């Protein structure tokens, strides 16, 4: 796979491998930090003078610290005692985001000394949630936990008990299925100052739990129970302090009860019922009965959408309330909240953010609208319901881009994730909807996302990079990303110490590197070195970043110049390391593909030999051909095929068990993908260049599966199977095996009907080898796989083979033109015949002993075989062929000119044999002349 897209994925604790270390080393004395190039305090004055940065005012240093992420703060603070103390200033530790780091009890305890003034905390995973109390941050006011699927009642209850000053608690978006109403009730009893509660995926929220909030939390003005199983609707109607309520995605709600109870809430101004089965009558009741309600959000509510389709005027009279749905103009609806103010509907979010004097109620509503829209749009993007295209193109993409500019960090991140997700229509095949991707581009999304990717907040860096990566699957968007400087930005992010950021950046480079026009730019931006470094940096267990880095390197290695960059940067060692030791199939597949591409430039650089010489490389690739994953087997076989073009590699592959492994692979891939079949046969073709390997392949049972593959419907498989059988047929024992295993009909079929000229050509050559007389003696003594010749009608097989060889050669014969050439020997006529007969791909074949075999065949009693031999030598010596000069040299050493002249002058030879022999002589003269210049 040459590219990858990624939706929002579930993060497991096993993937959190980057550790934040809060313990700073003690320095014996305050350190002097020198500018680059500066001396050590003395010198002749020619260099740059040393600067004592410790002379900066403390306030300036603290401001400098505030601009850095936690890791960089730690690095800076470790330089000296003074800065270590300043780095611990309480004002720098009012907010802490641990999502990118593994945070266990030990790390939390080590951070505790800095957390006495901590007010806001974000973390990821149930393990981090359990460690929160070790921070000793009793003054915490806001807690937000992501991907806490395994969080338990006990953990949530302890968090609540230890943080009584809590005003905001948010756990999601993953379902908290292990949380029960008991823990929710405990939160209400402990956190009496709570103003906002947002929980996702609770199985049941009973009346007692909800009632506890009504009794104990008088300031609670927002509740969000998202994607919950059941909620006590009546109890929610008694939480009279509520101003905002969201039950988006929740199931089993009794809407008649809910609409009556919630319409009586005296302070309710915002209600979100998106992604539920709310009925039109319930919505009408809420609109009619609620005196305080201002905004009702109902995105992706099927019953409402069906009602509007049936009756377009269904919700036209909303009594001054704003109803937001997929069927409405959301921008226009939000703009209508600002009565008496002239605003641009599409720019409403930007205008509101720019106002200095804001109405508090409207400000609270807009903040809440941003949050619920970001939640629901992301969920809708993830599920990608049928019939949603028009919404995304008409306003959905623009809404996400508006939300990306939010001042709320979690809204920004979710909107960026939404942009990454809604364009993807098929994860497995890396398919992106072109209209959606281009809608983002048209609305100015590319420069916006690239600017976000340069943010100092690593969370938004990661999500912006993910969006850029997925959008870049579209070639038009990829060009826009490159034109806007996105390649340099992604290359910089790939160097991040934050694994999540580096992973998404590597994904972006992976997709951009599909385009040939972007490969050089990635290399120039330092992307190759950054990708190789990622493999060494996060080698242990981080499969996401490794797969993306290896995939990008695989794409880059397909380019000749970039493949050299990969090798120089240590890419061969890194990729072989992955192939040898990594057990993740996606990583193995991309590492093998990268090695295959590195080895594909044998004529232009030394990477092929370098891969083969890397310790354990060939053994690892041989092992990967036995993988349970078809993609891994395919890429490993492709790598061995390319590597087998090097003589030393070819023998080393065989010594590593490659013959047995590849024969086994060929035997098991008759029903596999065409790609695997092609590469399995291709690898055997490459190994069989060596006669020793050819004999070993025959003895291991490689003939039968190759014959089976020769019957494939795919032309690419025809070529590799025919090529392998051609090489095998050079050996008389293998030729007999091919006949005995039913190979003649298969090769005859290829020779007669394959859509590939190369397959037909090599099938004809294999048949010629089999019936040029060398196999006869072996057949007579009964040599075969089992030691006793099978019952085969050799005469019938020979007649069939010669008939189709002749028919193949005649397809390149035009009687009138051949007659003219025979009569005049005019160079122009010969050149015209040669060009018409040329098979372009045959120029890539490199022959050795085969040349002598064809020269000998020119003397064969069969005129058909003589014509075939002359035709083959024509293909191998045509000027411009990659190995034509090499073949001409072999012919000259073999004294072929005399034989060719005899063939050209033979009175009984067919005209094709004569003309082709003359063209070969002309080719030899051309090469001799070229060599003498």
């Amino acid at each position: 796979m040459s590219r990858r897209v990624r939706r929002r994925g579930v993060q497991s604790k096993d993937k959190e491998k980057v550790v934040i270390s809060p313990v700073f080393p003690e320095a014996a004395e305050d350190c002097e930090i020198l500018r680059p190039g500066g001396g050590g305090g003395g010198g002749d004055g020619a260099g740059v003078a040393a600067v004592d940065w410790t002379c900066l005012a403390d306030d300036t240093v603290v401001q400098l610290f505030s601009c850095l992420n936690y890791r960089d703060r730690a690095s800076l603070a470790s330089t000296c005692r003074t800065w270590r103390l300043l780095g611990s200033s309480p004002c720098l530790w009012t907010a802490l985001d641990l999502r990118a780091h593994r945070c266990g009890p030990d790390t939390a305890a080590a951070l505790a000394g800095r957390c006495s003034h901590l007010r806001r905390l974000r973390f990821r995973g149930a393990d981090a949630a359990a460690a929160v109390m070790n921070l000793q941050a009793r003054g915490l006011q806001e807690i937000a936990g992501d991907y806490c699927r395994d969080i338990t009642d006990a953990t949530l209850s302890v968090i609540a008990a230890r943080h009584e000053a809590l005003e905001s608690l948010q756990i999601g978006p993953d379902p908290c299925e292990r949380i029960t109403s008991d823990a929710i009730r405990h939160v209400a009893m402990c956190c009496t100052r709570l103003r906002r509660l947002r929980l996702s995926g609770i199985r049941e929220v009973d009346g007692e739990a909800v009632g506890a909030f009504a009794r104990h939390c008088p300031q609670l003005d927002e509740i969000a129970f998202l994607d919950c199983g059941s909620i006590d609707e009546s109890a929610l109607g008694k939480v009279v302090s509520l101003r905002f309520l969201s039950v988006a995605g929740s199931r089993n709600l009794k809407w008649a009860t809910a609409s009556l109870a919630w319409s009586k809430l005296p302070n309710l101004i915002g209600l979100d019922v998106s992604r539920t089965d709310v009925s039109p009558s319930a919505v009408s009741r809420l609109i009619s009965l609620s005196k305080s309600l201002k905004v009702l959000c109902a995105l992706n509510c099927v019953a409402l959408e069906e009602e509007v389709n049936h009756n377009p005027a269904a919700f036209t009279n909303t009594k001054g309330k704003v109803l937001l749905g997929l069927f409405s103009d959301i921008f226009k609806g939000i703009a209508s909240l600002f009565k008496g103010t002239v605003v641009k509907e599409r720019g409403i979010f930007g205008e509101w953010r720019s106002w200095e004097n804001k109405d508090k109620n409207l400000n609270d509503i807009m903040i809440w609208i941003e949050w619920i829209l970001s939640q629901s749009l992301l969920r809708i993007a993830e599920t990608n319901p049928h019939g949603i295209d028009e919404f995304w193109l008409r306003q959905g993409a623009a809404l996400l881009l508006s939300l990306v500019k939010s001042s709320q960090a979690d809204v920004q991140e979710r909107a960026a994730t939404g942009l990454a997700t809604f364009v993807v229509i098929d994860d497995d095949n890396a398919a992106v909807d072109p209209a959606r991707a281009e809608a983002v581009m048209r609305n100015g999304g590319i420069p916006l996302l690239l600017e976000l990717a340069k943010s100092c907040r690593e969370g938004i860096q990661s999500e912006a990079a993910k969006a850029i990566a997925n959008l870049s699957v579209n070639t038009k968007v990829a060009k826009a990303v490159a034109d806007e400087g996105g390649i340099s930005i992604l290359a910089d992010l790939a160097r991040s110490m934050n694994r999540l950021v580096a992973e998404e950046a590597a994904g972006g480079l992976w997709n951009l590197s599909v385009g040939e026009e972007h490969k050089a730019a990635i290399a120039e931006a330092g992307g190759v070195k950054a990708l190789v470094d990622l493999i060494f940096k996060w080698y242990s267990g981080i499969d996401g970043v490794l797969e993306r880095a290896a995939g990008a390197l695989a794409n880059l290695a397909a380019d000749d110049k970039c493949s050299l960059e990969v090798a120089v940067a240590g890419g061969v060692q890194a990729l072989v390391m992955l192939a040898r030791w990594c057990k993740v199939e996606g990583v193995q597949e991309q590492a093998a593909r990268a090695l295959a591409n590195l080895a594909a430039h044998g004529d232009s650089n030394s990477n092929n030999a370098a891969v083969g010489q890397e310790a354990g490389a060939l053994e690892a690739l041989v092992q990967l051909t036995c993988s349970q994953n078809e993609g891994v087997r395919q890429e490993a076989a492709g790598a061995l095929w390319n590597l087998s073009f090097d003589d030393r590699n070819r023998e080393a592959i065989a010594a590593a068990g490659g013959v047995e492994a590849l024969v086994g692979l060929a035997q098991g891939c008759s029903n596999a993908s065409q790609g695997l079949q092609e590469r399995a046969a291709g690898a055997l073709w490459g190994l069989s260049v060596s006669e020793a390997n050819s004999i070993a392949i025959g003895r291991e049972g490689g003939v039968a599966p190759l014959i089976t593959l020769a019957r494939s419907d795919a032309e690419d498989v025809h070529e590799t199977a025919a090529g392998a059988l051609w090489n095998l047929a050079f050996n008389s024992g293998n030729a007999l095996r091919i006949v005995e295993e039913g190979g003649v009909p298969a090769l005859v079929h290829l020779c007669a009907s394959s859509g590939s000229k190369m397959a037909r050509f090599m099938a004809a050559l294999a048949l010629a080898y089999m019936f040029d007389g060398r196999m006869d003696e072996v057949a007579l003594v009964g040599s075969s796989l089992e030691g006793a010749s099978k019952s085969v009608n050799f005469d019938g097989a020979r007649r069939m083979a010669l008939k189709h060889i002749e028919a193949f050669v005649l397809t390149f014969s035009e009687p009138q033109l051949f007659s003219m050439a025979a009569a005049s020997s005019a160079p122009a006529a010969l050149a015209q015949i040669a060009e018409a007969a040329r098979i372009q791909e045959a120029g890539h074949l490199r022959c050795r002993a085969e040349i002598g075999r064809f020269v000998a065949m020119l003397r064969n009693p069969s005129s058909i075989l003589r014509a075939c031999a002359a035709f083959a030598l024509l293909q191998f010596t045509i000027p411009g062929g990659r190995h034509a000069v090499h073949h001409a040299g072999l012919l000259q050493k073999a004294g072929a000119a005399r034989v060719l002249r005899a063939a050209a002058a033979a009175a009984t030879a067919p005209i094709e044999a004569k003309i082709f022999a003359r063209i070969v002589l002309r080719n030899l003269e051309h090469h001799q002349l070229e060599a003498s210049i």
Side-chain angles (χ1 to χ4, degrees), residues 426-482:
D426 186 346
D427 284 324
D428 294 334
N429 295 311
V432 164
D433 186 284
R436 296 182 188 182
E438 288 165 29
V440 174
M441 186 169 63
R442 282 195 307 274
N443 283 282
I446 303 308
L448 175 58
L449 287 168
L450 290 173
E451 192 61 33
L452 286 176
K454 295 189 287 187
S455 165
C456 62
R457 296 204 314 271
E458 293 176 331
I460 193 60
Q461 285 179 352
S462 172
E463 299 306 325
K466 181 190 299 181
I468 294 164
N470 286 0
L471 288 162
S472 295
V473 172
N474 179 279
T475 54
K476 292 181 181 177
V477 176
K479 183 179 184 304
V481 169

Side-chain angles (χ1 to χ4, degrees), residues 487 515-525 556 559 561-562 565:
I487 288 175
E516 294 298 323
E517 66 274 24
H518 304 314
K519 287 181 168 66
I522 292 172
E524 288 169 7
L556 292 166
D559 177 83
K561 291 182 180 178
C562 289
E565 293 258 3

Side-chain angles (χ1 to χ4, degrees), residues 244-308:
F244 301 102
L245 173 62
S246 176
V247 291
S250 294
R251 305 168 299 282
N252 306 315
L253 291 171
K254 302 178 183 67
W255 287 108
T257 303
S259 58
L260 286 172
W262 300 347
S263 65
K264 296 175 184 177
L265 286 168
N267 298 303
L268 186 68
I269 56 178
L271 175 62
D272 179 20
V273 296
S274 297
R275 302 181 292 107
T276 67
D277 59 356
V278 63
S279 64
S281 59
V283 169
S284 297
R285 194 176 297 116
L286 285 161
I287 289 172
S288 300
L289 298 179
S290 178
K291 297 179 180 178
S292 59
L293 190 64
K294 293 186 180 297
V295 180
L296 176 57
C297 187
L299 299 180
N300 197 209
C301 296
V302 176
L304 302 189
E305 289 154 19
E306 289 177 350
E307 179 70 14
V308 171

